PDB file of all heavy atoms in Angstrom:
ATOM      1  N   ARG C 142      -9.226  27.351 -79.453  1.00 98.00           N
ATOM      2  CA  ARG C 142     -10.104  26.178 -78.990  1.00 98.00           C
ATOM      3  C   ARG C 142     -10.354  25.274 -80.170  1.00 98.00           C
ATOM      4  O   ARG C 142     -10.403  24.156 -79.990  1.00 98.00           O
ATOM      5  CB  ARG C 142     -11.418  26.816 -78.443  1.00 98.00           C
ATOM      6  CG  ARG C 142     -11.321  27.520 -77.089  1.00 98.00           C
ATOM      7  CD  ARG C 142     -12.638  28.012 -76.669  1.00 98.00           C
ATOM      8  NE  ARG C 142     -12.528  28.962 -75.564  1.00 98.00           N
ATOM      9  CZ  ARG C 142     -12.872  28.667 -74.390  1.00 98.00           C
ATOM     10  NH1 ARG C 142     -13.285  27.486 -73.963  1.00 98.00           N
ATOM     11  NH2 ARG C 142     -12.801  29.624 -73.355  1.00 98.00           N
ATOM     12  N   LEU C 145      -7.449  22.977 -80.647  1.00 98.00           N
ATOM     13  CA  LEU C 145      -7.386  22.043 -79.563  1.00 98.00           C
ATOM     14  C   LEU C 145      -8.404  20.949 -79.789  1.00 98.00           C
ATOM     15  O   LEU C 145      -8.281  19.708 -79.427  1.00 98.00           O
ATOM     16  CB  LEU C 145      -7.515  22.713 -78.232  1.00 98.00           C
ATOM     17  CG  LEU C 145      -6.328  23.559 -77.646  1.00 98.00           C
ATOM     18  CD1 LEU C 145      -6.868  24.419 -76.521  1.00 98.00           C
ATOM     19  CD2 LEU C 145      -5.216  22.693 -77.469  1.00 98.00           C
ATOM     20  N   GLY C 146      -9.473  21.291 -80.391  1.00 97.00           N
ATOM     21  CA  GLY C 146     -10.575  20.343 -80.663  1.00 97.00           C
ATOM     22  C   GLY C 146     -11.414  20.171 -79.355  1.00 97.00           C
ATOM     23  O   GLY C 146     -11.188  20.730 -78.369  1.00 97.00           O
ATOM     24  N   ASP C 147     -12.595  19.431 -79.557  1.00 97.00           N
ATOM     25  CA  ASP C 147     -13.570  19.274 -78.527  1.00 97.00           C
ATOM     26  C   ASP C 147     -13.038  18.456 -77.306  1.00 97.00           C
ATOM     27  O   ASP C 147     -13.620  18.592 -76.202  1.00 97.00           O
ATOM     28  CB  ASP C 147     -14.865  18.602 -79.105  1.00 97.00           C
ATOM     29  CG  ASP C 147     -15.511  19.571 -79.979  1.00 97.00           C
ATOM     30  OD1 ASP C 147     -15.279  20.845 -79.922  1.00 97.00           O
ATOM     31  OD2 ASP C 147     -16.381  19.029 -80.845  1.00 97.00           O
ATOM     32  N   GLY C 148     -11.963  17.785 -77.438  1.00 97.00           N
ATOM     33  CA  GLY C 148     -11.447  16.921 -76.438  1.00 97.00           C
ATOM     34  C   GLY C 148     -10.943  17.815 -75.239  1.00 97.00           C
ATOM     35  O   GLY C 148     -10.890  17.260 -74.203  1.00 97.00           O
ATOM     36  N   VAL C 149     -10.489  18.933 -75.517  1.00 98.00           N
ATOM     37  CA  VAL C 149      -9.977  19.821 -74.454  1.00 98.00           C
ATOM     38  C   VAL C 149     -11.106  20.893 -74.134  1.00 98.00           C
ATOM     39  O   VAL C 149     -11.585  21.573 -74.915  1.00 98.00           O
ATOM     40  CB  VAL C 149      -8.715  20.531 -74.952  1.00 98.00           C
ATOM     41  CG1 VAL C 149      -8.225  21.480 -73.866  1.00 98.00           C
ATOM     42  CG2 VAL C 149      -7.604  19.547 -75.282  1.00 98.00           C
ATOM     43  N   GLN C 150     -11.467  20.837 -72.831  1.00 98.00           N
ATOM     44  CA  GLN C 150     -12.370  21.821 -72.383  1.00 98.00           C
ATOM     45  C   GLN C 150     -11.721  22.781 -71.445  1.00 98.00           C
ATOM     46  O   GLN C 150     -11.084  22.340 -70.490  1.00 98.00           O
ATOM     47  CB  GLN C 150     -13.553  21.185 -71.710  1.00 98.00           C
ATOM     48  CG  GLN C 150     -14.466  20.389 -72.649  1.00 98.00           C
ATOM     49  CD  GLN C 150     -15.185  21.326 -73.697  1.00 98.00           C
ATOM     50  OE1 GLN C 150     -15.692  22.309 -73.260  1.00 98.00           O
ATOM     51  NE2 GLN C 150     -15.259  20.841 -74.933  1.00 98.00           N
ATOM     52  N   ILE C 151     -12.099  24.164 -71.533  1.00 98.00           N
ATOM     53  CA  ILE C 151     -11.392  25.083 -70.736  1.00 98.00           C
ATOM     54  C   ILE C 151     -12.553  25.905 -69.998  1.00 98.00           C
ATOM     55  O   ILE C 151     -13.445  26.432 -70.694  1.00 98.00           O
ATOM     56  CB  ILE C 151     -10.564  26.094 -71.633  1.00 98.00           C
ATOM     57  CG1 ILE C 151      -9.329  25.321 -72.190  1.00 98.00           C
ATOM     58  CG2 ILE C 151     -10.022  27.213 -70.751  1.00 98.00           C
ATOM     59  CD1 ILE C 151      -8.663  25.919 -73.211  1.00 98.00           C
ATOM     60  N   ALA C 211      -8.258  23.434 -67.464  1.00 98.00           N
ATOM     61  CA  ALA C 211      -8.317  22.787 -68.715  1.00 98.00           C
ATOM     62  C   ALA C 211      -8.383  21.336 -68.480  1.00 98.00           C
ATOM     63  O   ALA C 211      -7.496  20.843 -67.966  1.00 98.00           O
ATOM     64  CB  ALA C 211      -7.187  23.102 -69.628  1.00 98.00           C
ATOM     65  N   SER C 212      -9.398  20.716 -68.958  1.00 98.00           N
ATOM     66  CA  SER C 212      -9.537  19.169 -68.940  1.00 98.00           C
ATOM     67  C   SER C 212      -9.321  18.566 -70.195  1.00 98.00           C
ATOM     68  O   SER C 212      -9.528  19.274 -71.212  1.00 98.00           O
ATOM     69  CB  SER C 212     -10.804  18.726 -68.218  1.00 98.00           C
ATOM     70  OG  SER C 212     -11.830  19.283 -69.051  1.00 98.00           O
ATOM     71  N   GLY C 213      -8.837  17.309 -70.358  1.00 98.00           N
ATOM     72  CA  GLY C 213      -8.628  16.610 -71.479  1.00 98.00           C
ATOM     73  C   GLY C 213      -7.342  16.912 -72.220  1.00 98.00           C
ATOM     74  O   GLY C 213      -7.168  16.616 -73.349  1.00 98.00           O
ATOM     75  N   VAL C 214      -6.502  17.677 -71.510  1.00 98.00           N
ATOM     76  CA  VAL C 214      -5.134  17.970 -72.120  1.00 98.00           C
ATOM     77  C   VAL C 214      -4.339  16.766 -72.127  1.00 98.00           C
ATOM     78  O   VAL C 214      -4.182  16.070 -71.099  1.00 98.00           O
ATOM     79  CB  VAL C 214      -4.454  19.139 -71.256  1.00 98.00           C
ATOM     80  CG1 VAL C 214      -3.002  19.315 -71.816  1.00 98.00           C
ATOM     81  CG2 VAL C 214      -5.285  20.327 -71.139  1.00 98.00           C
ATOM     82  N   PRO C 215      -3.857  16.487 -73.344  1.00 97.00           N
ATOM     83  CA  PRO C 215      -3.018  15.199 -73.349  1.00 97.00           C
ATOM     84  C   PRO C 215      -1.680  15.268 -72.664  1.00 97.00           C
ATOM     85  O   PRO C 215      -1.140  16.407 -72.520  1.00 97.00           O
ATOM     86  CB  PRO C 215      -2.764  14.912 -74.836  1.00 97.00           C
ATOM     87  CG  PRO C 215      -2.971  16.272 -75.490  1.00 97.00           C
ATOM     88  CD  PRO C 215      -3.952  16.987 -74.553  1.00 97.00           C
TER      89      PRO C 215
END
Side-chain angles (χ1 to χ4, degrees):
Chain C
R142 288 179 194 257
L145 291 168
D147 291 339
V149 177
Q150 289 295 320
I151 295 165
S212 57
V214 177

